[in-house]
Amino acid sequence: MDSLNRVSMVEKHLISMNLLKNYDNAAVILNKEENVSIMINEEDHIRLQVIYPGLKLKEAYEYASRLDDLIEERVNFAFDSKLGYLTSCPTNLGTGIRASVMMHLPGLTLTKSINDLISTVNQVGMTIRGIYGEGSNIMGNIYQISNQVSLGLSEEEIINNLVAVIKKIIDQEKRAREVILQTQPKELEDDMYRSLGILKYARLISASECLNLLSRVRMGVEMGIIKDVDIKKLNELLVNVQPASLQLIEGREIEARERDFIRAKILRESLK
Amino acid sequence: MLCQSCNEREANVHITKIINGVKTEMHLCDECAKAMHGEKVGLGYEMGMPLSFQNILDGFVEMMGGFPQSIIGEKTCPLCKMTFEDFRRNGRIGCDECYKTFKDEMIPLIRRIHGNIQHNGKLPRRTGGILKYKRDIDRLKDELKNAVSKEEFERAAKIRDEIKELEMKLKEEENRG
């Protein structure tokens, strides 16, 4: 597999940056729907990843747990009755579970309440990261919220705690959007349509500008202000405008400057 | 080490800044660090360098007064040959045996990370049978005590029977293994 294909797998969340770094000695098994990946020789020997849309953490865990049982029929896992599953990093000990939810939080970002939120979430044993997990930057107001503590609690407790926090964050985000809508309705609408305008008519656009504008348009669609853009299209674009995915679509390697031009073209055609 | 700012409390936040090649170090207590840096302390992506597990690990080790020199560099895992110094450097353990080799050093660290050192989640299905029975029996015994103290004798009797049943199963499993 060439390097473009590999990087695009990270952009699609099928593999992690860690696996990519170690690709000479690593492997991944994917299902057809591309929501389940079994990574081999990532940070640990085996890492299961199951992604479901929405807040279906229980379903995702049950699926992962069944896969785990199947693997365990043939493989002896390093397990200790006190410390649980022995992972190479002590931060994953115990259940070894990392339950994550990807959230689009433009309201909390605009009202500058996101920093408070991050410190609060840290206090209850959870963590907020950028869209590509550990060490990644916040892009397009998309945050990944996950449990930090993996030892001492059961998988169910970890998931329930996370869901409880996520529901609170959803409430806060809704409230933040209402506040903006009530105090600056014209400015908000203007901002959303300007963003859509740039995405529709730009001739050169960088990935980070594009993600930020897509976030504004998504917010507009979610709040029912922008009506003629399909959210599915926005989801597709979120992946397709990323550097490696974009080059894969075009079928060749492209320099950064030309990528900005092609990105603008992809956006124009998609949002026409 | 005392906090450089208030000179009163113990310094437990250590900040190293390198700006244009000039290195400055600061040692602060929690309160002064918060006052000076607001929410930014602890948020990896707001600083130039993401706060990695290794950085935190070193912080923990310092907070506990460091490890005796005898451990560092001398103790080596018999299975994978990793030293504790290796672990401090890259934050990853070499193999499952390392957790046994460096148990005395690891347990306080793990307690700091998770606030806990007793696994309470899923057990391996094939090899974890005995463990599961033992854990269920412990849990039921707690429930039994609770029921008795509340004088819920009917419930207590039910739990007692469940415990008996599990103890039988545990014996069978142990004889088989």
Side-chain angles (χ1 to χ4, degrees):
Chain A
M1 188 182 273
D2 62 22
S3 91
L4 266 186
N5 268 301
R6 287 197 298 268
V7 179
S8 93
M9 287 178 82
V10 176
E11 291 175 353
K12 282 154 80 181
H13 291 277
L14 297 176
I15 60 171
S16 65
M17 301 254 208
N18 251 327
L19 194 86
L20 185 68
K21 271 185 222 150
N22 191 28
Y23 80 92
D24 274 336
N25 301 306
V28 64
I29 303 165
L30 295 170
N31 66 341
K32 227 185 270 156
E33 293 78 21
E34 297 196 333
N35 72 323
V36 177
S37 30
I38 303 173
M39 289 174 243
I40 310 205
N41 286 350
E42 209 253 7
E43 187 181 285
D44 288 296
H45 292 132
I46 300 176
R47 176 166 292 195
L48 305 180
Q49 176 184 284
V50 180
I51 301 179
Y52 274 54
L55 250 187
K56 289 190 206 132
L57 287 149
K58 252 186 207 133
E59 287 86 339
Y61 169 66
E62 275 159 20
Y63 194 105
S65 182
R66 278 202 304 277
L67 265 181
D68 172 66
D69 290 340
L70 288 174
I71 296 170
E72 204 243 339
E73 281 177 14
R74 303 287 182 89
V75 178
N76 279 330
F77 286 134
F79 185 86
D80 177 86
S81 60
K82 216 172 163 57
L83 297 177
Y85 290 90
L86 300 176
T87 52
S88 83
C89 185
T91 53
N92 298 326
L93 275 174
T95 57
I97 195 176
R98 187 76 65 226
S100 288
V101 177
M102 203 88 82
M103 299 186 89
H104 179 228
L105 302 174
L108 290 172
T109 313
L110 275 172
T111 53
K112 299 198 168 51
S113 12
I114 200 83
N115 281 350
D116 284 344
L117 179 84
I118 291 172
S119 64
T120 315
V121 163
N122 283 340
Q123 280 165 15
V124 292
M126 283 163 212
T127 171
I128 302 192
R129 301 184 174 119
I131 183 169
Y132 291 111
E134 212 167 329
S136 68
N137 291 321
I138 304 293
M139 281 191 297
N141 298 323
I142 295 174
Y143 299 83
Q144 191 176 312
I145 297 149
S146 46
N147 66 300
Q148 184 79 288
V149 170
S150 56
L151 176 66
L153 299 171
S154 70
E155 290 80 1
E156 204 185 356
E157 285 170 313
I158 289 172
I159 289 169
N160 288 346
N161 289 351
L162 185 71
V163 170
V165 170
I166 298 295
K167 284 189 171 155
K168 278 270 172 275
I169 298 176
I170 295 173
D171 283 349
Q172 294 270 47
E173 170 67 21
K174 279 186 183 156
R175 207 168 303 157
R177 291 183 188 189
E178 258 165 46
V179 168
I180 306 168
L181 189 62
Q182 273 163 17
T183 50
Q184 297 172 298
K186 291 271 179 304
E187 286 82 353
L188 181 68
E189 199 182 340
D190 178 64
D191 189 62
M192 288 166 173
Y193 275 106
R194 273 172 189 271
S195 303
L196 183 58
I198 295 173
L199 291 173
K200 270 184 171 172
Y201 296 106
R203 291 305 192 260
L204 286 172
I205 190 163
S206 71
S208 73
E209 184 188 2
C210 173
L211 289 178
N212 285 328
L213 295 173
L214 280 172
S215 163
R216 284 289 184 279
V217 174
R218 169 182 288 269
M219 186 184 177
V221 175
E222 284 168 351
M223 291 175 76
I225 296 172
I226 296 176
K227 293 198 175 67
D228 53 353
V229 176
D230 186 1
I231 205 105
K232 270 189 208 137
K233 211 170 250 183
L234 295 177
N235 288 340
E236 253 172 50
L237 282 173
L238 210 57
V239 172
N240 291 348
V241 300
Q242 306 271 353
S245 302
L246 180 146
Q247 294 175 66
L248 263 190
I249 293 169
E250 290 289 305
R252 63 194 168 97
E253 278 189 44
I254 307 170
E255 292 286 303
R257 198 185 143 72
E258 203 196 337
R259 280 208 298 270
D260 290 352
F261 181 73
I262 293 191
R263 183 174 295 115
K265 198 183 83 188
I266 292 176
L267 286 162
R268 263 199 323 276
E269 279 163 9
S270 170
L271 295 169
K272 204 160 43 186
Chain B
M1 190 189 298
L2 283 180
C3 170
Q4 285 176 342
S5 172
C6 63
N7 277 320
E8 278 175 32
R9 290 173 287 263
E10 193 62 27
N12 44 21
V13 177
H14 307 277
I15 300 169
T16 307
K17 279 186 189 166
I18 301 173
I19 299 169
N20 295 331
V22 183
K23 188 171 159 187
T24 50
E25 280 188 22
M26 268 195 292
H27 306 280
L28 304 166
C29 67
D30 273 335
E31 282 180 57
C32 294
K34 235 182 219 159
M36 288 171 83
H37 296 272
E39 304 294 349
K40 288 190 178 168
V41 172
L43 291 185
Y45 53 83
E46 287 221 342
M47 298 185 282
M49 199 179 66
L51 189 67
S52 67
F53 174 64
Q54 288 98 290
N55 301 137
I56 298 174
L57 182 69
D58 259 9
F60 282 164
V61 172
E62 272 178 53
M63 214 190 290
M64 295 186 296
F67 290 115
Q69 271 303 314
S70 60
I71 298 168
I72 298 167
E74 277 187 17
K75 219 193 246 183
T76 307
C77 174
L79 193 61
C80 70
K81 311 290 178 231
M82 192 193 80
T83 65
F84 197 73
E85 194 51 35
D86 292 336
F87 170 65
R88 269 189 75 170
R89 232 189 344 261
N90 56 37
R92 303 287 183 271
I93 216 84
C95 68
D96 55 329
E97 191 64 26
C98 292
Y99 280 109
K100 281 190 198 137
T101 313
F102 303 109
K103 193 174 166 221
D104 296 342
E105 297 82 37
M106 293 299 291
I107 293 290
L109 274 177
I110 294 165
R111 198 192 292 279
R112 271 187 197 278
I113 298 167
H114 297 281
N116 203 311
I117 48 160
Q118 181 55 58
H119 177 56
N120 230 335
K122 185 173 176 173
L123 301 168
R125 198 187 249 189
R126 184 166 44 87
T127 47
I130 292 172
L131 280 171
K132 187 176 175 342
Y133 288 135
K134 280 186 181 161
R135 203 165 69 183
D136 285 350
I137 291 168
D138 282 348
R139 185 177 49 82
L140 285 170
K141 278 184 179 164
D142 281 347
E143 267 181 46
L144 181 65
K145 255 188 228 161
N146 199 346
V148 171
S149 71
K150 282 184 185 159
E151 301 191 6
E152 295 169 356
F153 297 116
E154 222 168 290
R155 194 163 77 93
K158 234 172 158 183
I159 296 170
R160 184 201 56 208
D161 293 345
E162 275 180 58
I163 293 176
K164 262 190 196 156
E165 201 178 312
L166 282 178
E167 278 174 338
M168 292 254 291
K169 280 187 188 162
L170 176 64
K171 241 186 209 151
E172 274 172 35
E173 192 84 20
E174 275 173 338
N175 288 339
R176 232 192 307 160

